[in-house]
């Protein structure tokens, strides 16, 4: 059984975001790039499944759409324990474009399980996993918080309104995972870091297509207003502020 984990290359969450070119592009100067946290947890769960011999998982591949500058992030995934990687040599313009390029790059690989994080921490689009499943014609499950393999059947826990759902799916499938899929991301050991240097990264040129969306400009959110402290003995002032400033009463 082969598992593919789709990963994104995103700025560390402590990064101070700046824009250039009339606010059309992210200023990448000084940015520390990391594996998207949801994808990192997806990879961790895939590695846990491979560690269990009863699951039949023999190989884990990571796939990414990005230019050569993203390879250090791919190497991090290989250091965690992935066996090899596929990189589509293109800017990840939008979710539709990324999903299409991934589908073209992997269509001949016959993966049994494809894992995608629910969203990336930069654009938070929550779209690639579902689109990828449609492009390659695999059944998919979203909101996946647990995944195990028994007798080549995939047992999935899903978070739904008011509770949880447990379903069983045959392979191949796409699982869009969220919180709960793994407790903590796996930390790469020194041996894994050394081995990652020689693990193969297959570079695929992108298929010709125009991204269906265009970025007009980015805007930062408005700064938060200063916090106001109200004396506990003056509820009238609190009510006045809620009515006249916050306008929620």
């Amino acid at each position: 059984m082969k598992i593919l984990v789709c990963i994104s290359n995103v700025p560390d969450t402590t990064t101070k975001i700046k824009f250039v070119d009339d606010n059309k592009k992210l200023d990448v100067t000084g940015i520390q790039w990391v594996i998207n946290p949801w994808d990192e947890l997806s990879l961790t769960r895939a590695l846990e499944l491979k560690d269990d011999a009863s699951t039949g998982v023999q190989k884990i591949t990571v796939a990414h759409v990005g230019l050569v500058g993203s390879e250090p992030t791919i190497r991090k995934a290989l250091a965690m324990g992935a066996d090899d990687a596929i990189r589509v040599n293109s800017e990840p313009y939008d979710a539709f474009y990324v999903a299409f390029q991934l589908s073209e790059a992997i269509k001949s690989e016959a993966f049994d399980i494809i894992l995608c994080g629910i969203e990336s921490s930069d654009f938070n689009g929550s779209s690639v996993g579902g689109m990828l499943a449609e492009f390659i014609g695999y059944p998919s499950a979203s909101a996946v918080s647990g995944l195990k393999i028994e007798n080549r059947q995939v047992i999935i826990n899903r978070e739904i309104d008011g509770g949880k759902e447990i379903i069983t799916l045959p392979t191949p499938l796409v699982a869009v995972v969220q919180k709960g899929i793994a407790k903590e991301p796996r930390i790469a050991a020194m041996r894994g870091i050394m081995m990652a240097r020689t693990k193969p990264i297959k570079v695929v040129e992108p298929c010709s297509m125009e991204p269906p969306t265009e970025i007009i400009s980015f805007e930062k959110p408005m700064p938060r207003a200063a916090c106001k402290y109200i004396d506990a003995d003056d509820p009238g002032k609190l009510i006045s502020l809620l009515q006249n400033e916050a306008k929620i009463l």
Side-chain angles (χ1 to χ4, degrees):
M1 184 174 286
K2 299 194 298 182
I3 297 179
L4 176 74
V5 181
C6 302
I7 64 173
S8 295
N9 183 43
V10 300
D12 184 88
T13 53
T14 61
T15 299
K16 292 185 178 180
I17 298 298
K18 295 181 291 183
F19 299 108
V20 293
D21 293 347
D22 294 328
N23 290 336
K24 290 185 178 181
K25 291 184 178 180
L26 173 68
D27 183 357
V28 299
T29 305
I31 286 181
Q32 179 181 353
W33 298 93
V34 298
I35 304 173
N36 178 50
W38 297 116
D39 304 334
E40 193 173 29
L41 291 173
S42 299
L43 177 55
T44 297
R45 183 56 187 148
L47 294 170
E48 292 171 348
L49 291 169
K50 186 182 177 186
D51 290 343
D52 182 354
S54 68
T55 63
V57 176
Q58 298 176 326
K59 184 180 180 182
I60 296 172
T61 300
V62 294
H64 170 69
V65 177
L67 299 176
V68 68
S70 64
E71 287 201 0
T73 296
I74 297 174
R75 292 289 176 194
K76 292 176 187 177
L78 296 174
M80 288 172 64
D83 298 294
D84 60 3
I86 300 169
R87 179 175 68 82
V88 180
N89 189 34
S90 172
E91 289 278 3
Y93 292 106
D94 61 20
F96 187 93
Y97 182 88
V98 168
F100 176 77
Q101 296 298 342
L102 286 173
S103 70
E104 290 295 303
I106 68 173
K107 63 183 180 181
S108 63
E109 299 286 342
F111 290 103
D112 299 284
I113 300 174
I114 298 176
L115 300 180
C116 300
I118 188 171
E119 61 185 1
S120 61
S121 60
D122 47 7
F123 288 98
N124 304 101
S126 302
S127 303
V128 170
M131 290 181 180
L132 176 59
E134 290 299 310
F135 278 130
I136 60 179
Y138 282 14
S140 66
S142 60
V144 175
S145 59
L147 187 151
K148 60 183 180 179
I149 302 171
E150 294 181 358
N151 300 320
R152 293 192 66 85
Q153 293 285 308
V154 180
I155 302 173
I156 284 175
N157 287 21
R158 296 184 67 244
E159 300 288 335
I160 60 174
D161 290 340
K164 294 184 178 181
E165 177 182 58
I166 299 176
I167 59 175
T168 301
L169 292 173
T171 57
L173 65 91
V174 175
V176 182
V177 308
Q178 62 175 40
K179 183 179 180 181
I181 193 65
K183 291 183 179 180
E184 295 289 341
R186 180 167 293 192
I187 305 300
M190 181 56 67
R191 182 170 180 267
I193 295 171
M194 298 299 291
M195 292 177 63
R197 297 178 180 179
T198 58
K199 289 181 178 179
I201 298 177
K202 178 182 177 182
V203 179
V204 179
E205 292 304 315
C207 294
S208 178
M209 76 161 292
E210 286 296 322
T213 61
E214 178 186 359
I215 294 173
I216 304 302
S217 67
F218 291 103
E219 290 184 11
K220 290 184 179 181
M222 294 294 292
R224 293 182 180 181
C227 185
K228 294 184 178 180
Y229 294 90
I230 311 300
D231 193 304
D233 296 325
D234 191 6
K237 184 177 181 181
L238 173 61
I239 293 172
S240 175
L241 289 171
L242 292 174
Q243 287 178 327
N244 302 318
E245 286 195 18
K247 299 186 184 299
I248 60 174
L249 291 179

